[in-house]
Amino acid sequence: MLQQSERPAASTLLIIIAQSARFLIQSAARHGYRVRAADCFADSDSVQHCERFIRLEPITTVSPQQLHETIELLAEGQTAYLIIGTGIEYLYPALTDLPEHIHSTANSAEVCSQVCQPMPWFTLLDSLQLPHPEVTYQPQSTGQWLLKDAAGWGGSHISAEQSISDKSHYLQRHVHGISYSALFVIDAQYQPRLLMFNRQICVDADNGDFRLQTLYNHPELATHQQQAVMDAIMQIQQRLNLRGLNSLDFMVSDTGQLLLLELNPRPSASCQLLPETVDWLHWQIAAPQNLPDIKMSYRLLYHFFAEQMLTIPHDLNWPADFCDLPAPGTIHAEGDPVCSLCIEAPDTIQRFERLEQQCEFFRKKVALRLKNLT
């Protein structure tokens, strides 16, 4: 294993497994790592950077045995560092029995069990007297509640249903407000170091569609609220002993109350809002002694979803800002994620102007054309 803060060699082999691994793969390739990966989409801008790639069934259906077999097929007996992205919420129990040549960079199974199951997570918050929306584990017939899956991600795990099917599900009081996340890394002294705050916007919360659509850095967040979040992260770290990159989701209610929601024990999508020159995967492999001064530009991530069934044509030329590019011939059902935008601009006004320009391209050149092909 690498010592804390030791620089990994450029030839270091990374095995990356996630529901969608594109941004992890691209960052690894950009900084010279060897990459072998498996995810559920096989986007063209993922596969092209990999020495080997395996397409997975939905992460929620992958058994521990299948995960181990996938890792072994990718590693072929070579020493490698394993990075688990979105999906660790389901996969973490299988990370306790890995071959000696596979070095996991993930949080321990014990830590993941604390934050990926609702009862231990909210019990922890209550013991620390950290505020969160009211939760219950029993069906409710009255009141405004949201059904959540503690092992879910991206907002697709949230609905207005009132039934509870298993121990990973719970009901949370529906509180109106603004959603944020805090991306942080654990340093070599086991202390959390804030990287940035981000604003999260879902597709249409008013009509019950909580899928994450927009994520951007440099949000408007009061200094005392930023400090309260960092204080909460410090307290959580003292109990959990996290490692690597993590993010904490939280919200500020319409009445101004700060409420904690979920902790993602993995490199989250917000890592894409860091400058591309930053090798943040290095921090996942070996805890940093010191962080460099990072000049944060104005970045934004935006997800497109299919409004009806569509097939990706073979001669479509995607503009440079687009990512998560489906392979030609890929069929998308209504509601499926199609692709994403990752925009960088010198200020927030130009950031949103560029977003509108690229959304217009998608509407005119992609969505309308795809509609005619179905």
Side-chain angles (χ1 to χ4, degrees), residues 8 13 44 47 71 94 116 118 144 177 194 205 212 228 235 243 265 269 278 289 318 347:
L13 175 60
S44 60
V47 177
I71 293 170
C116 298
Q144 290 190 322
L194 177 71
L212 178 64
Q235 293 181 67
R243 63 157 297 170
V278 176
Q289 288 283 359
W318 297 96
D347 57 55

PDB file of all heavy atoms in Angstrom, residues 8 13 44 47 71 94 116 118 144 177 194 205 212 228 235 243 265 269 278 289 318 347:
ATOM      1  N   PRO A   8       1.434   8.351  -6.116  1.00  0.00           N
ATOM      2  CA  PRO A   8       1.370   7.112  -6.877  1.00  0.00           C
ATOM      3  C   PRO A   8       2.052   7.271  -8.227  1.00  0.00           C
ATOM      4  O   PRO A   8       2.028   8.343  -8.827  1.00  0.00           O
ATOM      5  CB  PRO A   8      -0.136   6.884  -7.046  1.00  0.00           C
ATOM      6  CG  PRO A   8      -0.745   8.234  -6.923  1.00  0.00           C
ATOM      7  CD  PRO A   8       0.126   8.995  -5.978  1.00  0.00           C
ATOM      8  N   LEU A  13      -2.087   0.982 -11.669  1.00  0.00           N
ATOM      9  CA  LEU A  13      -3.309   0.424 -12.243  1.00  0.00           C
ATOM     10  C   LEU A  13      -4.482   0.693 -11.308  1.00  0.00           C
ATOM     11  O   LEU A  13      -4.444   0.342 -10.127  1.00  0.00           O
ATOM     12  CB  LEU A  13      -3.157  -1.084 -12.466  1.00  0.00           C
ATOM     13  CG  LEU A  13      -4.414  -1.821 -12.952  1.00  0.00           C
ATOM     14  CD1 LEU A  13      -4.892  -1.275 -14.298  1.00  0.00           C
ATOM     15  CD2 LEU A  13      -4.157  -3.326 -13.046  1.00  0.00           C
ATOM     16  N   SER A  44     -19.325   5.933 -24.531  1.00  0.00           N
ATOM     17  CA  SER A  44     -18.165   5.917 -25.419  1.00  0.00           C
ATOM     18  C   SER A  44     -16.984   6.679 -24.834  1.00  0.00           C
ATOM     19  O   SER A  44     -15.827   6.301 -25.047  1.00  0.00           O
ATOM     20  CB  SER A  44     -18.542   6.500 -26.783  1.00  0.00           C
ATOM     21  OG  SER A  44     -18.991   7.840 -26.660  1.00  0.00           O
ATOM     22  N   VAL A  47     -15.328   4.058 -22.261  1.00  0.00           N
ATOM     23  CA  VAL A  47     -14.660   2.874 -22.803  1.00  0.00           C
ATOM     24  C   VAL A  47     -13.347   3.231 -23.488  1.00  0.00           C
ATOM     25  O   VAL A  47     -12.355   2.504 -23.387  1.00  0.00           O
ATOM     26  CB  VAL A  47     -15.605   2.137 -23.776  1.00  0.00           C
ATOM     27  CG1 VAL A  47     -14.901   0.944 -24.408  1.00  0.00           C
ATOM     28  CG2 VAL A  47     -16.870   1.686 -23.049  1.00  0.00           C
ATOM     29  N   ILE A  71     -13.829  -7.927 -10.575  1.00  0.00           N
ATOM     30  CA  ILE A  71     -12.538  -7.373 -10.158  1.00  0.00           C
ATOM     31  C   ILE A  71     -11.398  -8.262 -10.636  1.00  0.00           C
ATOM     32  O   ILE A  71     -10.379  -7.784 -11.163  1.00  0.00           O
ATOM     33  CB  ILE A  71     -12.503  -7.200  -8.628  1.00  0.00           C
ATOM     34  CG1 ILE A  71     -13.491  -6.111  -8.195  1.00  0.00           C
ATOM     35  CG2 ILE A  71     -11.091  -6.856  -8.153  1.00  0.00           C
ATOM     36  CD1 ILE A  71     -13.701  -6.029  -6.702  1.00  0.00           C
ATOM     37  N   ALA A  94     -19.260  -6.513   0.225  1.00  0.00           N
ATOM     38  CA  ALA A  94     -18.369  -7.429  -0.496  1.00  0.00           C
ATOM     39  C   ALA A  94     -16.917  -6.968  -0.483  1.00  0.00           C
ATOM     40  O   ALA A  94     -16.050  -7.658  -1.027  1.00  0.00           O
ATOM     41  CB  ALA A  94     -18.847  -7.577  -1.942  1.00  0.00           C
ATOM     42  N   CYS A 116     -24.976   4.190   5.142  1.00  0.00           N
ATOM     43  CA  CYS A 116     -25.805   3.689   4.039  1.00  0.00           C
ATOM     44  C   CYS A 116     -27.058   2.979   4.524  1.00  0.00           C
ATOM     45  O   CYS A 116     -27.806   2.417   3.718  1.00  0.00           O
ATOM     46  CB  CYS A 116     -24.991   2.753   3.143  1.00  0.00           C
ATOM     47  SG  CYS A 116     -23.588   3.555   2.344  1.00  0.00           S
ATOM     48  N   PRO A 118     -30.435   3.775   7.106  1.00  0.00           N
ATOM     49  CA  PRO A 118     -31.030   4.965   7.727  1.00  0.00           C
ATOM     50  C   PRO A 118     -30.970   4.993   9.246  1.00  0.00           C
ATOM     51  O   PRO A 118     -30.649   6.034   9.832  1.00  0.00           O
ATOM     52  CB  PRO A 118     -32.480   4.942   7.222  1.00  0.00           C
ATOM     53  CG  PRO A 118     -32.736   3.524   6.831  1.00  0.00           C
ATOM     54  CD  PRO A 118     -31.425   3.002   6.338  1.00  0.00           C
ATOM     55  N   GLN A 144     -46.935  15.363   4.959  1.00  0.00           N
ATOM     56  CA  GLN A 144     -46.087  15.384   3.770  1.00  0.00           C
ATOM     57  C   GLN A 144     -44.784  14.652   4.072  1.00  0.00           C
ATOM     58  O   GLN A 144     -43.935  15.142   4.828  1.00  0.00           O
ATOM     59  CB  GLN A 144     -45.809  16.822   3.341  1.00  0.00           C
ATOM     60  CG  GLN A 144     -47.026  17.537   2.763  1.00  0.00           C
ATOM     61  CD  GLN A 144     -46.647  18.864   2.137  1.00  0.00           C
ATOM     62  OE1 GLN A 144     -45.795  19.578   2.635  1.00  0.00           O
ATOM     63  NE2 GLN A 144     -47.287  19.185   1.022  1.00  0.00           N
ATOM     64  N   GLY A 177     -37.034  23.860   0.602  1.00  0.00           N
ATOM     65  CA  GLY A 177     -35.855  24.693   0.763  1.00  0.00           C
ATOM     66  C   GLY A 177     -34.896  24.505  -0.393  1.00  0.00           C
ATOM     67  O   GLY A 177     -35.283  24.065  -1.480  1.00  0.00           O
ATOM     68  N   LEU A 194     -12.263  20.784   3.618  1.00  0.00           N
ATOM     69  CA  LEU A 194     -13.296  21.199   2.677  1.00  0.00           C
ATOM     70  C   LEU A 194     -12.682  21.528   1.321  1.00  0.00           C
ATOM     71  O   LEU A 194     -11.677  22.233   1.233  1.00  0.00           O
ATOM     72  CB  LEU A 194     -14.041  22.424   3.213  1.00  0.00           C
ATOM     73  CG  LEU A 194     -15.110  22.996   2.281  1.00  0.00           C
ATOM     74  CD1 LEU A 194     -16.308  22.063   2.201  1.00  0.00           C
ATOM     75  CD2 LEU A 194     -15.529  24.391   2.730  1.00  0.00           C
ATOM     76  N   ALA A 205     -39.155  19.250  -8.494  1.00  0.00           N
ATOM     77  CA  ALA A 205     -39.577  18.842  -7.153  1.00  0.00           C
ATOM     78  C   ALA A 205     -41.055  19.101  -6.915  1.00  0.00           C
ATOM     79  O   ALA A 205     -41.721  18.335  -6.208  1.00  0.00           O
ATOM     80  CB  ALA A 205     -38.745  19.577  -6.105  1.00  0.00           C
ATOM     81  N   LEU A 212     -31.564  14.391  -9.720  1.00  0.00           N
ATOM     82  CA  LEU A 212     -30.617  15.502  -9.796  1.00  0.00           C
ATOM     83  C   LEU A 212     -30.390  15.884 -11.254  1.00  0.00           C
ATOM     84  O   LEU A 212     -30.025  15.043 -12.073  1.00  0.00           O
ATOM     85  CB  LEU A 212     -29.290  15.106  -9.154  1.00  0.00           C
ATOM     86  CG  LEU A 212     -28.176  16.156  -9.208  1.00  0.00           C
ATOM     87  CD1 LEU A 212     -28.564  17.394  -8.404  1.00  0.00           C
ATOM     88  CD2 LEU A 212     -26.869  15.565  -8.698  1.00  0.00           C
ATOM     89  N   ALA A 228     -21.230  26.037   9.987  1.00  0.00           N
ATOM     90  CA  ALA A 228     -22.047  25.022  10.660  1.00  0.00           C
ATOM     91  C   ALA A 228     -21.898  23.664   9.978  1.00  0.00           C
ATOM     92  O   ALA A 228     -21.836  22.620  10.647  1.00  0.00           O
ATOM     93  CB  ALA A 228     -23.512  25.456  10.677  1.00  0.00           C
ATOM     94  N   GLN A 235     -17.497  16.736  13.483  1.00  0.00           N
ATOM     95  CA  GLN A 235     -18.071  15.857  14.503  1.00  0.00           C
ATOM     96  C   GLN A 235     -18.327  14.460  13.946  1.00  0.00           C
ATOM     97  O   GLN A 235     -18.079  13.454  14.629  1.00  0.00           O
ATOM     98  CB  GLN A 235     -19.382  16.458  15.016  1.00  0.00           C
ATOM     99  CG  GLN A 235     -19.212  17.741  15.800  1.00  0.00           C
ATOM    100  CD  GLN A 235     -20.543  18.264  16.296  1.00  0.00           C
ATOM    101  OE1 GLN A 235     -21.199  17.651  17.139  1.00  0.00           O
ATOM    102  NE2 GLN A 235     -20.966  19.396  15.759  1.00  0.00           N
ATOM    103  N   ARG A 243     -12.371   8.048   5.269  1.00  0.00           N
ATOM    104  CA  ARG A 243     -11.136   8.207   4.511  1.00  0.00           C
ATOM    105  C   ARG A 243     -11.485   8.645   3.091  1.00  0.00           C
ATOM    106  O   ARG A 243     -12.614   8.487   2.626  1.00  0.00           O
ATOM    107  CB  ARG A 243     -10.329   6.916   4.469  1.00  0.00           C
ATOM    108  CG  ARG A 243     -11.012   5.752   3.779  1.00  0.00           C
ATOM    109  CD  ARG A 243     -10.003   4.733   3.273  1.00  0.00           C
ATOM    110  NE  ARG A 243      -9.125   5.334   2.270  1.00  0.00           N
ATOM    111  CZ  ARG A 243      -8.025   4.751   1.788  1.00  0.00           C
ATOM    112  NH1 ARG A 243      -7.660   3.570   2.236  1.00  0.00           N
ATOM    113  NH2 ARG A 243      -7.287   5.347   0.864  1.00  0.00           N
ATOM    114  N   PRO A 265     -20.276   8.193   0.995  1.00  0.00           N
ATOM    115  CA  PRO A 265     -18.925   7.769   1.397  1.00  0.00           C
ATOM    116  C   PRO A 265     -18.062   7.349   0.212  1.00  0.00           C
ATOM    117  O   PRO A 265     -17.504   6.255   0.176  1.00  0.00           O
ATOM    118  CB  PRO A 265     -19.226   6.578   2.317  1.00  0.00           C
ATOM    119  CG  PRO A 265     -20.452   5.958   1.702  1.00  0.00           C
ATOM    120  CD  PRO A 265     -21.269   7.115   1.168  1.00  0.00           C
ATOM    121  N   ALA A 269     -20.313  12.939  -7.675  1.00  0.00           N
ATOM    122  CA  ALA A 269     -20.353  13.635  -8.962  1.00  0.00           C
ATOM    123  C   ALA A 269     -19.773  15.037  -8.872  1.00  0.00           C
ATOM    124  O   ALA A 269     -19.285  15.583  -9.872  1.00  0.00           O
ATOM    125  CB  ALA A 269     -21.789  13.688  -9.479  1.00  0.00           C
ATOM    126  N   VAL A 278      -6.420  19.219 -11.321  1.00  0.00           N
ATOM    127  CA  VAL A 278      -6.274  18.642  -9.979  1.00  0.00           C
ATOM    128  C   VAL A 278      -6.429  17.124 -10.048  1.00  0.00           C
ATOM    129  O   VAL A 278      -7.454  16.615 -10.503  1.00  0.00           O
ATOM    130  CB  VAL A 278      -7.314  19.232  -9.010  1.00  0.00           C
ATOM    131  CG1 VAL A 278      -7.224  18.544  -7.647  1.00  0.00           C
ATOM    132  CG2 VAL A 278      -7.119  20.734  -8.862  1.00  0.00           C
ATOM    133  N   GLN A 289      -0.961  15.100   2.751  1.00  0.00           N
ATOM    134  CA  GLN A 289      -0.421  15.844   3.890  1.00  0.00           C
ATOM    135  C   GLN A 289      -0.900  17.288   3.837  1.00  0.00           C
ATOM    136  O   GLN A 289      -1.297  17.864   4.844  1.00  0.00           O
ATOM    137  CB  GLN A 289       1.112  15.806   3.861  1.00  0.00           C
ATOM    138  CG  GLN A 289       1.719  14.464   4.228  1.00  0.00           C
ATOM    139  CD  GLN A 289       1.690  14.194   5.725  1.00  0.00           C
ATOM    140  OE1 GLN A 289       1.232  15.029   6.512  1.00  0.00           O
ATOM    141  NE2 GLN A 289       2.156  13.026   6.119  1.00  0.00           N
ATOM    142  N   TRP A 318     -21.035  15.185 -31.059  1.00  0.00           N
ATOM    143  CA  TRP A 318     -21.315  15.862 -29.804  1.00  0.00           C
ATOM    144  C   TRP A 318     -20.372  17.041 -29.615  1.00  0.00           C
ATOM    145  O   TRP A 318     -19.168  16.907 -29.806  1.00  0.00           O
ATOM    146  CB  TRP A 318     -21.137  14.900 -28.632  1.00  0.00           C
ATOM    147  CG  TRP A 318     -22.071  13.731 -28.623  1.00  0.00           C
ATOM    148  CD1 TRP A 318     -21.817  12.483 -29.106  1.00  0.00           C
ATOM    149  CD2 TRP A 318     -23.397  13.692 -28.088  1.00  0.00           C
ATOM    150  NE1 TRP A 318     -22.897  11.663 -28.910  1.00  0.00           N
ATOM    151  CE2 TRP A 318     -23.888  12.383 -28.279  1.00  0.00           C
ATOM    152  CE3 TRP A 318     -24.218  14.631 -27.458  1.00  0.00           C
ATOM    153  CZ2 TRP A 318     -25.154  11.994 -27.871  1.00  0.00           C
ATOM    154  CZ3 TRP A 318     -25.478  14.242 -27.047  1.00  0.00           C
ATOM    155  CH2 TRP A 318     -25.937  12.943 -27.251  1.00  0.00           C
ATOM    156  N   ASP A 347     -17.194  33.269 -14.915  1.00  0.00           N
ATOM    157  CA  ASP A 347     -18.089  33.807 -13.896  1.00  0.00           C
ATOM    158  C   ASP A 347     -19.436  33.107 -14.008  1.00  0.00           C
ATOM    159  O   ASP A 347     -19.705  32.371 -14.960  1.00  0.00           O
ATOM    160  CB  ASP A 347     -18.246  35.327 -14.017  1.00  0.00           C
ATOM    161  CG  ASP A 347     -18.753  35.761 -15.384  1.00  0.00           C
ATOM    162  OD1 ASP A 347     -19.814  35.267 -15.817  1.00  0.00           O
ATOM    163  OD2 ASP A 347     -18.079  36.590 -16.033  1.00  0.00           O
TER     164      ASP A 347
END
